[in-house]
Amino acid sequence: LTQMTYYKLQEEKALEQCREKVADHGLPMKVLKAEYNFDGSHLTFYFAAEQRVDFRNLVRELAGIFQARIELRQVGVRDEVKLMGGYGLCGRPLCCATFLTEFKPISIKMAKQQNLPLSPAEISGQCGRLLCCLSYENEFYCEAMKKLPRVGAKIDTPQGPGKVVAVNVIKETVSVLLLESDITVEMPASELQSATNSTAKGQSKRRR
């Protein structure tokens, strides 16, 4: 049993002892994880709290118990979930607890760009913040949307003039309300481009 392995096995016990002392001191903090360095000379406790906590007396007491340098490190809600682990809405282990090394800014605009429901329960992670995975395909959606007509735009189709009522980026299709028949049809974006190009060429010839 190596020294590093020994102290790794002691972390769970240290965590429980720290939580007991936090309760004894009546401090408003949630201790999440204990982490020793390789030789046991440094012990870090990660905690979450809604406000600033005066833990000086706690640190002195913990230093006496563990005979090590004590560090208490406060983390945010995303880091809290990263430390605790778990499973996401997709059924897979949380990205933050497996491979993410940094948290990039996530905006509600990303969800809108991907035509996702804006219900907090469907686009929020365990941390209560927007899902990190909203950023994974955002660049693809941004580029794909540039090639598709906007919702509300009036366009020419092989079946006559129409108005765009919805777009499907994944299928690369557009739902169009045909103005002459008042029927909504879904068609490939490529057909619309062909129809628009044909119309443009026809107008160009008439101008000549």
Side-chain angles (χ1 to χ4, degrees), residues 57-183:
N57 291 334
L58 173 65
V59 169
R60 283 194 287 269
E61 187 170 354
L62 292 175
I65 294 172
F66 298 107
Q67 296 298 301
R69 180 186 172 190
I70 301 298
E71 179 181 357
L72 281 151
R73 187 177 300 177
Q74 186 170 359
V75 299
V77 289
R78 286 190 184 274
D79 287 295
E80 178 181 349
V81 174
K82 178 181 176 71
L83 290 169
M84 301 301 288
Y87 291 85
L89 295 173
C90 58
R92 296 177 62 84
L94 295 171
C95 298
C96 61
T98 51
F99 65 88
L100 285 183
T101 56
E102 61 177 329
F103 295 115
K104 296 182 179 180
I106 310 294
S107 68
I108 195 69
K109 183 180 179 181
M110 293 179 179
K112 293 179 179 179
Q113 187 80 37
Q114 298 171 47
N115 292 323
L116 294 173
L118 301 183
S119 167
E122 296 185 64
I123 58 174
S124 299
Q126 290 189 20
C127 59
R129 300 290 193 268
L130 291 171
L131 290 164
C132 290
C133 56
L134 291 179
S135 67
Y136 298 168
E137 298 178 352
N138 188 61
E139 185 176 346
F140 164 77
Y141 274 86
C142 289
E143 290 301 316
M145 289 296 285
K146 292 177 183 178
K147 304 174 185 177
L148 298 172
R150 293 176 177 272
V151 173
K154 291 184 178 180
I155 59 174
D156 290 312
T157 77
Q159 301 176 43
K163 180 179 179 181
V164 178
V165 293
V167 295
N168 188 315
V169 175
I170 301 298
K171 294 169 62 178
E172 295 186 349
T173 60
V174 179
S175 294
V176 181
L177 173 64
L178 299 175
L179 300 179
E180 295 178 353
S181 60
D182 202 30
I183 296 174

